[in-house]
Amino acid sequence: MNIFSWDGSTVLMLFCGSDAVNQRGTDIDKDILSRQQQHWECVFSINASMFGEDPSSPARWAARLLKEEGKTKVLELGFGQGRDTLFFAMNGFDVTALDYCEKGIKSLKEKASESSVSGSVTPMQHDVRNRLPFEDGTFDACYSHMLYCMPLTISELRSLSAEVRRVLKPGGLNIFTTRHTNDPQYGTGIHRGEDMWEIQGGFIVHFLSREKVDLLSEGHDVLDITEFKEGELPKKLYRVTLRKKS
Ligand SMILES: C[S@@+](CC[C@H](N)C(=O)[O-])C[C@H]1O[C@@H](n2cnc3c(N)ncnc32)[C@H](O)[C@@H]1O
């Protein structure tokens, strides 16, 4: 470990216990995948705005589409520290925001209060590997930025997609983004099974192929799949927009 290069990843390696080297393996160890929850808690405790304060480009895009369609009741999955949640709330949407990280919930509550949008934001701690805690047909839309590329197996992702479909109203939209297999960090670090890699900083990322995105679109009309980039690496992602079939 090079302690003299004091960049973000070195900070994470020192404080959050990562030391990724190139290795290959094949088996999925669910305990290792589950420990990512503590990793996110740790990361959020040393960085109050890991992804910045500004809304992401897919959030801006989604807000335009949702407004055009008159959709207001939104479920957000894996909101992190709430950069997109606050943007949606400030733009008139009613957002139920889920993440399994307690630090993120606390941070979102504080930020929503500071921005006077607490009435439009309902933060909930929930692990998306479990059934979503809502009645059928509750939401106009579901939005998630980089939740589908978390360490969820393809079987868990298929269950999640079915759950999202269940809680959407007929004609509801599922807009999600995911890093994909042409991302520069795909195949780097420690292999954790399927297309999951523990990359620099100790994050396990599931890089989805186009075939996997197609699998997750079952039961929906595919409105749009667009490639985009984010950040300095840059990360390479798909933005996927699905409509629940009536
Ligand atoms: C890459 S971050 C993206 C955060 C946010 N969407 C953004 O773009 O700023 C992924 C988020 O998903 C959450 N997450 C990962 N796995 C999860 C799971 N199984 N259930 C709920 N949240 C999860 C993490 O805690 C983290 O906040």
Side-chain angles (χ1 to χ4, degrees), residues 19 26 43-44 85 108 117 128 130 166 168 193 206-207 235:
D19 205 357
T26 48
V43 169
F44 287 162
T85 325
L108 177 57
V117 291
V128 299
N130 301 321
R166 179 183 67 74
L168 285 177
H206 193 163
F207 297 89
K235 300 185 193 90

Side-chain angles (χ1 to χ4, degrees), residues 89 95 108-123:
V95 197
L108 177 57
K109 280 185 180 160
E110 287 167 5
K111 290 177 189 171
S113 169
E114 282 161 19
S115 310
S116 306
V117 291
S118 296
S120 309
V121 178
T122 309

Side-chain angles (χ1 to χ4, degrees), residues 40 100 146-153 157 196 204-206:
W40 280 107
Y100 66 6
M146 294 189 288
L147 182 274
Y148 275 67
C149 52
M150 290 295 95
L152 303 161
T153 63
L157 284 169
M196 290 182 276
I204 303 181
V205 177
H206 193 163

